[in-house]
Amino acid sequence: MRPSATDPVVQAGAPRAATAARVLVIEDEAETAEHMREALAAAGCVPDLAHDGPTGLERALAEPYDVLIVDRMLPGLDGLSLVGRLRDAGVHTPILFVTAMGAVADRVEGLQGGGDDYLVKPFSFAELNARVAALARRSPTPPRERTVLQCADLALDRLERTAERGGQAISLLPLEYKLLEYLMLHAGQIVTRAMLLEKVWGFHFDPRTNIVETHLSRLRAKVDPPGAPPLIATVRGAGYVIRPPA
């Protein structure tokens, strides 16, 4: 599905939104996803792409988007299950299902399953952008950035860039601070090794080193001293999580 020269949302000089909406397109058909990205960008949005369910879920949990566009039939994790997990995790970002599953029962299932709107393929890119713009206006106002992050008796002051547990100061190196901050921003959520490499070290690929494990081991020694209930846990085969002790 390619935007046409007559489609108003992709014409050169088309008016752009005053505030660019961040949109995540979760679509496994690479060509369709790219055309959607082009149309959204031409309308003034800032689109990202994910081509399977697990990647889309990871990005939607880790990044603040204004609108999510989700296909129903995705590899690894279907769209309906993906949306259900997001809603269970407390993600309230407006979601537009874009799918070939157009029966009335499919639409009802999608809307009842956590979707905010439903668009059936094939569709007009003008309509796609109009629906995205409408959903972006309904997007929840981002909360004021928290300056103090708390997990049990562990506190991280993002203004002072200090940490303490049980009232005792923790001396952190710069990378250890960034690592702990990212974990605490996602407290209770599993953070993958790839996410840490990208967000803490800036790697957009896996360098196949033990850099994450080494720094996490040092961080654990400081955050979870002997005798204190451990807060940082390894989830085998998935990643890491920081959460209050059970």
Side-chain angles (χ1 to χ4, degrees):
M1 181 183 295
R2 181 181 294 277
S4 69
T6 59
D7 193 326
V9 301
V10 295
Q11 288 177 345
R16 291 177 177 267
T19 302
R22 291 199 64 198
V23 182
L24 176 62
V25 178
I26 309 175
E27 165 64 63
D28 63 316
E29 295 180 4
E31 186 175 2
T32 299
E34 180 58 26
H35 294 330
M36 291 169 69
R37 187 197 66 77
E38 292 174 0
L40 289 163
C45 297
V46 181
D48 290 335
L49 301 181
H51 296 298
D52 59 70
T55 302
L57 177 63
E58 179 181 297
R59 292 190 179 181
L61 286 171
E63 301 290 339
Y65 288 100
D66 296 298
V67 178
L68 305 177
I69 298 176
V70 182
D71 189 9
R72 284 283 302 267
M73 296 177 286
L74 292 168
L77 180 68
D78 69 89
L80 195 63
S81 298
L82 185 156
V83 170
R85 293 194 188 183
L86 289 175
R87 297 312 191 211
D88 288 344
V91 176
H92 302 294
T93 306
I95 293 173
L96 169 63
F97 278 114
V98 175
T99 174
M101 299 174 65
V104 172
D106 294 323
R107 299 183 193 212
V108 170
E109 185 179 39
L111 295 172
Q112 291 181 339
D116 296 276
D117 200 356
Y118 205 98
L119 184 60
V120 178
K121 300 176 182 177
F123 53 85
S124 160
F125 286 93
E127 183 177 5
L128 172 70
N129 278 321
R131 289 175 183 256
V132 167
L135 289 175
R137 290 194 295 269
R138 293 161 48 188
S139 186
T141 302
R144 182 178 298 174
E145 186 175 49
R146 291 174 292 166
T147 58
V148 177
L149 305 178
Q150 191 85 30
C151 181
D153 59 346
L154 174 65
L156 187 78
D157 189 320
R158 302 175 73 192
L159 292 180
E160 300 293 333
R161 296 183 71 83
T162 58
E164 63 177 42
R165 182 165 186 191
Q168 298 297 312
I170 302 173
S171 177
L172 297 173
L173 297 174
L175 268 174
E176 293 169 346
Y177 173 87
K178 289 179 64 178
L179 184 56
L180 181 59
E181 180 185 43
Y182 191 78
L183 287 169
M184 293 188 72
L185 281 169
H186 300 82
Q189 300 176 10
I190 295 174
V191 174
T192 67
R193 184 176 186 275
M195 291 166 66
L196 292 174
L197 283 169
E198 179 177 351
K199 301 303 180 182
V200 177
W201 280 271
F203 293 143
H204 296 282
F205 63 96
D206 189 343
R208 297 297 176 186
T209 73
N210 64 348
I211 188 172
V212 173
E213 292 75 15
T214 298
H215 281 78
L216 266 171
S217 177
R218 294 173 181 168
L219 181 62
R220 274 192 173 117
K222 296 180 178 183
V223 171
D224 294 333
L231 301 179
I232 301 175
T234 299
V235 182
R236 187 175 297 276
Y240 309 92
V241 62
I242 189 167
R243 59 192 172 200

